[in-house]
Structures are given as structure tokens and as C-alpha cells.
Amino acid sequence: MEVAIVSDTHFGYKWDSERGEDPFDNAREAFERTVDADIVVLPGDLFDRKVPKQEVLGEAVDCFNLYRQGEKTVELSEDSDVEHDFHGTPVIAIHGTHERRSEGFTNPVELLEKMDYLLHLHNEVAVFEKNGEKVAVHGMSGVPERYAPKVLEKFAPEPVEDAYNIFVFHQSVDKLVYTSPDHDSLSMEDLPGGFDLLVDGHIHWFQHLEGDRELVLPGSTITTQMNKVEAEQPKGYVTIDTETGELEFNELGSPRELFYEEIDVEGHSGPELLDKVQERMDELLQEELEKKPLVRLVLEGETSATVKKSELKEKYSEDAIMSITLGSDRGEISGDAGGIQDSDSIAEMGMQVLKENVNSGFPIEDLFELLEDGEIDGAVDLVEDMEVEEGRSEEAGKEEVDEEGKPGEENVQKLTEFQ
Ligand SMILES: [Mn+2]
């Protein structure tokens, strides 16, 4: 069988900005190109927010209608934990960190299941059959990292006999991506053995690790972090031929270009610095591109120049969507990092102070980002959403993982993760 895996489409990411259509454009291309697959697997973060705007849901449904027009070539076998009547190309999804909600609340992936667009798995297996061949998809939806080892232990997925077995999850994994030293998270050794393939969403760039446990991270179909890795790694989706075990990464044709540029401004005066930036921008913008590119400028070195990031962004706003960082990829501002002063660095410092002082698991970065983008309605929605859910969690008094592995402290991770 041919299995296609399209991860982290993040519908609604940068909605209301000039990048608002990017998630849909990229997903549409991936969906169109995989409509003839026997099975499509979506490893979480289909949506960027757990309560997407109606317009975002509408466009997502337009995308999923592509699969509905596909042909169903497989049947769910009786070995499955679930029953489902697929229309068109069978789509199986788990929910990710961005969609997870407390028990009793419907997340957008569950909503799509109710609308009959896909089958949502959480600690369940779906087994497909085609001409005597079997493919088993075992799905564990996203849970807060600290609970992941326990939830997986409880799920304890066992490979289905005589089938090609895929385990799909959406978590950080030690050594592959930053995990907090303060609490447990999954490590490679925790991942179940005996599977033909392990598939992890969550991490936004493609990785394929072969060995004792074969693990593939398809990466997101869109750029979200504007870092060096994202600039170097193409965006795309994965296909697997389950008969030969052959795995392929398929690059998308025309996602928005990302340039990551480090510029040494050591000892530069203001005009020198601006000239150097201009020179680099001229080089970058030579190429004719379908969409205005993303440009991440990292200004390295100490300088006495006073430059406002907002002015630089504005200067090139016709030709590029700019992100400017001082000193390092992480944008750390130290007291002696030079004289580049601007409101953005104050924003970053303010965020640091807020993060240190807000310990309730409130998604403060999301709120800040919305306010920064001038999305007041979105910010109000987020606050209201949190009030409702916090009230509910308190009511339930949840500290431990429940049967479904859906703890009340669902937003804790938002503070440390951007994926
Ligand atoms: Mn993601």
C-alpha cells in the first residue's frame, strides 16, 4: 500500500497577515499530490489553534474536500479498535500540541471526525486491508510532555501480526529536540519496539533516523520558526511503500522562500551597518519569487550604532517579510551586546520577565504575539478560552493523567515550545 504522511499543516497560522494563506496553499498542494494514496496519515497540529476561527475551519474543510473526492482502495479490518466509514481517500489523524483541549471540550481534529472528514485516533489502532495486505496505524495524540512516558506505557501498543505497523505520535523526543530537564519526556528508548516505522509530528523539519527503531519526522508543511534549520531544509511530505518499506520525502513546489542571513556588524557605525544590510538585501532579492520571501537577519557583533528593528522591517516591507535578531539565533540580548536599541528587544526582555512571573500555565507568548500583531479579538478570545478551561480544570481537580491521557494542565507546554 502507499501511505502518505502530511504533518503540522498549522491551518490558521499567521491568519489575518500576508502569510495567512501559506498553510492552505502548502497543504492543498500536499493533499492534491497524495489524493491517490491508499491511506493518508496526519500526525497532529493540523490547526494552529485549538479553537480556530470559523474562516480557518472553512478553508480547512475546502482542503479536506480534496481527499473526499479520492478513491477508497482499502477496508478497515476487524483487528481495529475503531469502526469508521471512510468517504474518499481514508485520512487518519491524531491531534497535536496546538489542538489539545481538556476532556469534555471538542478539539478541531475531533470536529473534523464528527464531520466525517477523517478518523481521529488517541491510544487506538486502525488496521487496513487491501488485497490481503495489512497496514496497522497505531495513534497516540499529543499530551503534555511530562505525561507522555506514562500515557505511552498505559497505551502499550503492540504490533499487529502480519501487518506493516506504524506508530504515530506528536511529542518531543530527548536528543532530537529540546526537552526540559525539569520533568520526564519521551526518549528513543521509550518508543515501542517491533514496529516497521515510528512517525512523530511536532518537530518542524524533516528527519529520518534508521537503526534499531526507524523514526521519521516529516516536518511541517510551512515555515514557522525562521531559523537556520528551517531555511536549509525543504518543506514537504513523506510517502511509504509498505510492501518494499521504501520511504520518500517529497518536496513541495513553491512554499514561501526563507532566507537566513548572518551579518557581522562588529564595530560598525550606523551608516556602515545600514549599507551592509542593503548590500545583502540586494543580493537576496535578485531572484524572482512567487511569494514575498521571509528574511531572517541576524546581526552579529558589538556596535555603537543605534538601529531600530522596526525601521529596518518597514524599509524592506515591500519586498520581504523581515525578522531581525541581534547576536544569536535565539535573540538573546545581553547588557553588553552593543548599541542596537529598539522596541523589539524590550519586548523580548518583557516577555522574559512575564514568563518568569506567570506560572499558571497561561499561554503568555501566544497572547503577546496576538497583541503584537494587533489581533485584539484573537487576544480576547484566547483569554476567555483560558478562563473557561481553567475553571473547568479546577473543578475537576486534575493533577494526574486520566484514562484518556488528557490532563487539565494542557497549556503548560505552550510556555516552552514553539512547535
Ligand atoms: Mn507543530
Side-chain angles (χ1 to χ4, degrees):
M1 285 184 227
E2 188 186 333
V3 179
I5 310 171
V6 186
S7 198
D8 292 72
T9 50
H10 281 267
F11 292 131
Y13 176 71
K14 294 281 176 193
W15 182 255
D16 279 342
S17 83
E18 57 187 322
R19 295 165 71 187
E21 286 300 316
D22 288 9
F24 301 106
D25 291 345
N26 295 0
R28 210 173 290 119
E29 182 189 340
F31 287 13
E32 275 167 4
R33 286 169 60 181
T34 54
V35 73
D36 293 328
D38 294 300
I39 306 166
V40 173
V41 176
L42 309 176
D45 283 3
L46 286 59
F47 292 90
D48 193 58
R49 293 188 191 284
K50 55 192 157 198
V51 185
K53 282 184 187 268
Q54 206 101 297
E55 293 71 26
V56 169
L57 266 176
E59 268 206 74
V61 164
D62 287 340
C63 290
F64 279 99
N65 275 325
L66 293 166
Y67 284 136
R68 186 162 283 186
Q69 286 154 24
E71 197 191 328
K72 186 172 79 170
T73 53
V74 294
E75 290 297 334
L76 258 189
S77 96
E78 284 173 4
D79 309 332
S80 304
D81 288 340
V82 286
E83 284 180 23
H84 191 84
D85 192 14
F86 289 99
H87 305 286
T89 312
V91 179
I92 302 108
I94 57 170
H95 64 258
T97 16
H98 282 244
E99 294 135 334
R100 188 180 58 229
R101 302 186 75 196
S102 304
E103 212 188 335
F105 288 89
T106 305
N107 75 49
V109 181
E110 292 167 325
L111 181 65
L112 285 181
E113 182 181 49
K114 285 173 193 284
M115 293 160 79
D116 241 353
Y117 281 102
L118 50 78
L119 168 65
H120 169 245
L121 293 181
H122 188 42
N123 298 349
E124 290 153 320
V125 59
V127 187
F128 296 88
E129 265 185 45
K130 181 187 175 184
N131 306 328
E133 193 203 353
K134 279 186 183 179
V135 172
V137 182
H138 308 248
M140 174 178 136
S141 283
V143 298
E145 300 297 352
R146 69 185 68 196
Y147 299 119
K150 268 196 216 161
V151 173
L152 181 54
E153 205 183 303
K154 203 164 176 181
F155 176 25
E158 289 282 341
V160 173
E161 228 176 288
D162 303 323
Y164 182 93
N165 283 277
I166 305 174
F167 173 64
V168 190
F169 64 114
H170 187 106
Q171 304 292 149
S172 294
V173 179
D174 272 346
K175 296 187 187 76
L176 276 183
V177 71
Y178 171 81
T179 49
S180 170
D182 300 340
H183 58 74
D184 287 349
S185 49
L186 288 178
S187 63
M188 284 298 279
E189 296 73 46
D190 293 326
L191 300 176
F195 282 74
D196 295 284
L197 186 66
L198 307 173
V199 179
D200 190 12
H202 192 50
I203 292 144
H204 282 195
W205 41 92
F206 173 72
Q207 290 176 74
H208 182 201
L209 293 106
E210 285 173 281
D212 179 29
R213 288 170 173 80
E214 186 173 350
L215 173 66
V216 68
L217 304 112
S220 171
T221 47
I222 53 150
T223 299
T224 54
Q225 300 193 33
M226 291 176 80
N227 60 19
K228 205 170 182 173
V229 194
E230 284 214 278
E232 286 166 357
Q233 285 276 4
K235 295 291 168 196
Y237 61 91
V238 165
T239 46
I240 306 144
D241 179 335
T242 57
E243 265 170 304
T244 62
E246 204 177 307
L247 187 148
E248 208 177 317
F249 178 79
N250 308 269
E251 191 175 341
L252 291 179
S254 53
R256 192 185 293 278
E257 191 73 52
L258 164 64
F259 298 111
Y260 179 93
E261 297 293 320
E262 286 169 2
I263 302 181
D264 184 5
V265 297
E266 179 78 30
H268 281 31
S269 67
E272 279 172 347
L273 188 149
L274 291 177
D275 281 352
K276 204 153 185 181
V277 169
Q278 181 68 51
E279 205 178 291
R280 190 67 63 89
M281 289 302 291
D282 287 343
E283 279 168 30
L284 294 180
L285 300 172
Q286 269 178 7
E287 206 182 327
E288 190 90 7
L289 296 166
E290 216 169 289
K291 284 179 172 174
K292 195 192 277 189
L294 302 169
V295 177
R296 173 76 174 267
L297 289 187
V298 181
L299 306 181
E300 304 265 21
E302 288 192 24
T303 163
S304 57
T306 301
V307 176
K308 289 200 171 184
K309 281 202 267 185
S310 51
E311 278 176 16
L312 264 185
K313 282 183 188 174
E314 182 58 34
K315 185 174 174 187
Y316 297 105
S317 62
E318 286 285 305
D319 305 309
I321 300 169
M322 308 283 291
S323 164
I324 300 156
T325 314
L326 315 173
S328 77
D329 192 18
R330 288 181 176 275
E332 283 157 11
I333 316 287
S334 67
D336 54 2
I340 303 178
Q341 295 153 6
D342 62 277
S343 53
D344 288 354
S345 62
I346 290 166
E348 278 163 16
M349 286 189 280
M351 175 59 66
Q352 205 51 44
V353 173
L354 273 171
K355 271 163 73 175
E356 280 161 16
N357 289 285
V358 176
N359 56 11
S360 66
F362 191 88
I364 195 76
E365 278 171 327
D366 286 359
L367 180 66
F368 214 74
E369 201 178 289
L370 285 165
L371 291 172
E372 218 182 354
D373 293 346
E375 290 188 35
I376 307 301
D377 287 352
V380 172
D381 282 355
L382 182 67
V383 173
E384 284 177 355
D385 213 33
M386 287 305 298
E387 280 171 0
V388 171
E389 294 196 2
E390 264 173 28
R392 197 188 150 80
S393 308
E394 273 163 30
E395 192 184 299
K398 285 182 190 175
E399 279 299 329
E400 288 177 19
V401 186
D402 62 23
E403 295 274 309
E404 299 282 302
K406 290 178 179 172
E409 283 183 61
E410 62 171 29
N411 288 294
V412 173
Q413 295 304 317
K414 281 287 187 101
L415 293 170
T416 50
E417 284 164 25
F418 282 95
Q419 280 100 17

